[in-house]
Amino acid sequence: MYSKTFYIETLGCQMNKSDSEKISGILENLGYEEKFSPEDSSLLIMNTCSIRAMSENKAYSYLGVWKKLKQKNPAVKIAMCGCVAQQTKQKVFAKAPQVDLVFGTQNINELPLLLEKLENQERVCSVLQKPVHMQDSSVPSRKEGVSAWLPIIEGCDYFCTYCVVPYTRGRQRSRMPGDIIKEARQIASEGFKEIILLGQTVDSYGNDIDNPGINLANLLKELNNIDEIARIRFVTSHPADITDELIYNVKELGKVCEYFHIPMQSGSTEVLKRMRRPYTREEYLELIKKIRKEMPGVGLTSDFIAGFPGETEEQFEQTLSMLDEVTFDHCNTAAYSPRKQTPAAVWKDQLPYDEKKRRLNILNKKVRETVQKSQEKYIGKTLEVLVEGFKEDDGKITLTGRTRANKIAHFPGDKDLVGTLVNVHIKQTSIWSLIGEINLS
Ligand code: SAH
Ligand code: SF4
Ligand code: F3S
């Protein structure tokens, strides 16, 4: 084992993955080498997610495994960062005594200093309570590939009654367009073909800056001019912040993919109100209609929560009927999980665990059914696919990529096509993806 080697386990959303790239960049700059197995590393970093109890538990169960590695080799240092670290602070040490270093979501740039401190101190904890603007001093170490994540806004001002994000990531902060464009050019020069703009509510971009010209629609327009980039995407959109101008630019700008991830959370207006989501079922449906009218081939995905406190059977059924009505291309689902600091966690009308699970199972079945139905429309179509990778099996190569609508497609072809745009004729569908052949004509 090298003395300066590290391994990062990243749980949670793309923002965490992007943070891990920053952490890798900082550590590589300090002379550390990244390893892909914890057994080979002297510094183990757990980048945690707090969105549900299950994600938090997962972090601690990994730490249980790492504890054994540390028992074998006491020189190993264990660090915890991310959203659980931000919420739990030094109490992590009581829950998991094998942890040496805890740092918050706003403390990534301090890492060199914290590691230095750790040389003389048994334990170090640094969690900044006040959110800071994203700093550009660190250069993220992006993994090789076709797509690169580019965070443009951090935090969230919505304070939905179930969600920890405003507590773990702080209030909304947008980066300045100049910094984003500079980083996008850097990404392009490194050979990436696709940029995925990131934010908890990516379409709120610019709302916190006193300049009405700074918004996602205009940012997309500028990014569309970067020659080497073939595609641009953005996630996650909040339904209340999708403007007509944004829809128009997604339709008109050649590199911006016709795809929106718009979490709805519940099909019932009453539940939405208690979730503090500022729209009704009807308004959400109107929005979908408007987007589809402009872009009939648009890809639409969403998130739904089953078993929110006080959700009646009837209100749950409104979520199911929503899926029939919209036929999304995919939906993420979860049983409601009470989270520390959030208002809904202490409400009296919590549903029993088994009931939440029962509803989640029904919801998942409905998702499978409706997603399969939504895929039928692609059969016989020829779609533009950005080739992202390949699998080799018995000398046979299967390429994998995504359509503009963000559908995964598999098709035979040459490895050299990775990173290029090809047209694929869709012949059949599997449960979550499309299967076809490259169309050479
Ligand atoms: N910013 C996005 C969502 C970020 S969190 C938005 O506003 O839509 C990702 C998803 O996790 C949410 O869309 C929600 O469906 C789910 N989620 C968040 N908190 C949850 C909780 N307490 N229990 C279950 N699911 C939750
Ligand atoms: Fe959480 Fe709501 Fe903010 Fe999304 S909009 S991150 S669900 S508080
Ligand atoms: Fe999880 Fe934090 Fe992302 S709670 S979903 S890692 S912002």
Side-chain angles (χ1 to χ4, degrees):
M1 192 193 306
Y2 295 98
S3 61
K4 276 185 152 190
T5 47
F6 71 100
Y7 172 82
I8 306 192
E9 185 66 49
T10 310
L11 307 173
C13 63
Q14 280 112 328
M15 196 56 94
N16 255 16
K17 291 182 182 136
S18 165
D19 280 349
S20 285
E21 292 178 343
K22 279 189 204 154
I23 294 170
S24 296
I26 290 172
L27 290 174
E28 280 165 14
N29 212 14
L30 291 177
Y32 279 81
E33 186 193 346
E34 181 156 10
K35 293 283 180 183
F36 297 93
S37 128
E39 284 85 6
D40 301 335
S41 311
S42 60
L43 174 62
L44 307 179
I45 302 170
M46 174 62 56
N47 192 358
T48 58
C49 170
S50 171
I51 203 79
R52 289 187 283 276
M54 219 197 324
S55 17
E56 182 165 355
N57 296 342
K58 200 165 163 189
Y60 286 106
S61 84
Y62 272 107
L63 287 173
V65 177
W66 290 4
K67 186 179 176 177
K68 297 205 180 90
L69 295 178
K70 196 171 166 162
Q71 280 161 351
K72 264 193 252 161
N73 180 358
V76 165
K77 296 281 180 213
I78 299 179
M80 190 210 260
C81 60
C83 291
V84 176
Q86 183 70 30
Q87 268 196 309
T88 319
K89 307 181 189 68
Q90 62 280 351
K91 286 194 196 128
V92 169
F93 298 133
K95 279 188 90 167
Q98 67 273 36
V99 174
D100 304 282
L101 167 65
V102 173
F103 60 102
T105 56
Q106 310 300 309
N107 302 77
I108 292 175
N109 285 330
E110 268 178 52
L111 195 52
L113 189 83
L114 300 177
L115 289 171
E116 214 177 285
K117 271 193 185 168
L118 200 56
E119 283 174 18
N120 308 311
Q121 262 168 260
E122 198 186 341
R123 282 193 172 127
V124 175
C125 173
S126 185
V127 177
L128 203 68
Q129 276 312 84
K130 220 170 110 58
V132 289
H133 270 272
M134 264 188 251
Q135 289 158 7
D136 298 304
S137 53
S138 62
V139 182
S141 163
R142 294 190 165 86
K143 300 290 160 290
E144 272 177 44
V146 174
S147 298
W149 290 306
L150 174 47
I152 64 168
I153 171 172
E154 204 189 355
C156 179
D157 278 357
Y158 274 105
F159 289 90
C160 301
T161 53
Y162 51 84
C163 181
V164 292
V165 171
Y167 308 97
T168 63
R169 293 279 170 176
R171 302 298 293 261
Q172 171 184 318
R173 284 104 58 213
S174 299
R175 291 174 72 186
M176 293 311 277
D179 295 335
I180 297 169
I181 291 158
K182 200 170 127 207
E183 191 167 341
R185 290 195 190 285
Q186 172 66 27
I187 288 171
S189 74
E190 286 168 24
F192 291 96
K193 293 293 166 217
E194 180 178 65
I195 290 182
I196 306 176
L197 304 177
L198 292 186
Q200 285 302 338
T201 57
V202 74
D203 50 341
S204 316
Y205 174 70
N207 287 355
D208 52 313
I209 298 175
D210 194 17
N211 177 347
I214 299 182
N215 57 43
L216 181 59
N218 283 338
L219 183 66
L220 290 174
K221 220 185 213 160
E222 298 214 34
L223 294 171
N224 196 60
N225 293 330
I226 300 179
D227 284 341
E228 302 87 341
I229 292 299
R231 277 182 172 183
I232 303 164
R233 296 184 189 281
F234 52 91
V235 282
T236 299
S237 296
H238 190 288
D241 285 323
I242 298 181
T243 60
D244 291 351
E245 194 190 1
L246 177 62
I247 298 173
Y248 182 80
N249 282 6
V250 172
K251 177 184 172 186
E252 293 299 321
L253 296 170
K255 296 178 181 176
V256 179
C257 291
E258 297 77 20
Y259 167 71
F260 289 86
H261 179 63
I262 321 174
M264 185 185 191
Q265 315 299 3
S266 168
S268 148
T269 298
E270 293 92 83
V271 174
L272 288 170
K273 216 181 267 163
R274 279 183 286 123
M275 288 176 158
R276 209 186 279 145
R277 300 288 289 184
Y279 50 89
T280 62
R281 176 188 176 101
E282 290 70 32
E283 283 164 347
Y284 187 94
L285 279 168
E286 269 312 304
L287 174 67
I288 298 294
K289 222 160 102 189
K290 187 153 79 177
I291 295 173
R292 282 200 168 139
K293 187 163 163 253
E294 293 300 325
M295 293 166 268
V298 69
L300 292 170
T301 55
S302 194
D303 298 349
F304 288 94
I305 297 174
F308 187 68
E311 183 190 66
T312 63
E313 188 68 37
E314 206 183 1
Q315 289 167 342
F316 171 62
E317 276 163 19
Q318 288 183 309
T319 293
L320 299 178
S321 72
M322 194 67 203
L323 292 178
D324 279 321
E325 230 166 297
V326 179
T327 53
F328 290 100
D329 288 278
H330 190 63
C331 293
N332 303 314
T333 58
Y336 168 71
S337 171
R339 306 306 292 137
K340 256 189 302 238
Q341 296 179 277
T342 64
V346 293
W347 292 352
K348 296 278 175 281
D349 47 359
Q350 306 287 326
L351 299 193
Y353 176 80
D354 287 348
E355 180 56 20
K356 290 191 280 187
K357 271 273 167 262
R358 186 187 71 85
R359 291 187 192 182
L360 179 63
N361 283 337
I362 298 172
L363 180 59
N364 285 341
K365 210 171 130 224
K366 183 56 106 186
V367 170
R368 265 197 304 277
E369 238 174 72
T370 51
V371 168
Q372 269 172 322
K373 200 164 136 210
S374 85
Q375 308 220 108
E376 285 165 16
K377 62 178 178 285
Y378 295 114
I379 295 177
K381 292 238 162 77
T382 298
L383 303 171
E384 181 198 279
V385 172
L386 175 63
V387 187
E388 292 176 6
F390 66 90
K391 229 178 47 207
E392 206 166 348
D393 195 12
D394 252 354
K396 238 180 63 189
I397 294 167
T398 305
L399 299 177
T400 297
R402 277 167 203 269
T403 69
R404 293 181 69 90
N406 209 34
K407 274 272 150 193
I408 293 174
H410 302 290
F411 45 94
D414 198 288
K415 281 186 236 185
D416 293 347
L417 291 173
V418 172
T420 66
L421 294 172
V422 295
N423 287 319
V424 177
H425 184 71
I426 306 304
K427 303 197 120 171
Q428 60 186 101
T429 64
S430 72
I431 181 156
W432 303 119
S433 54
L434 309 176
I435 297 161
E437 271 172 11
I438 294 181
N439 194 340
L440 294 170
S441 60

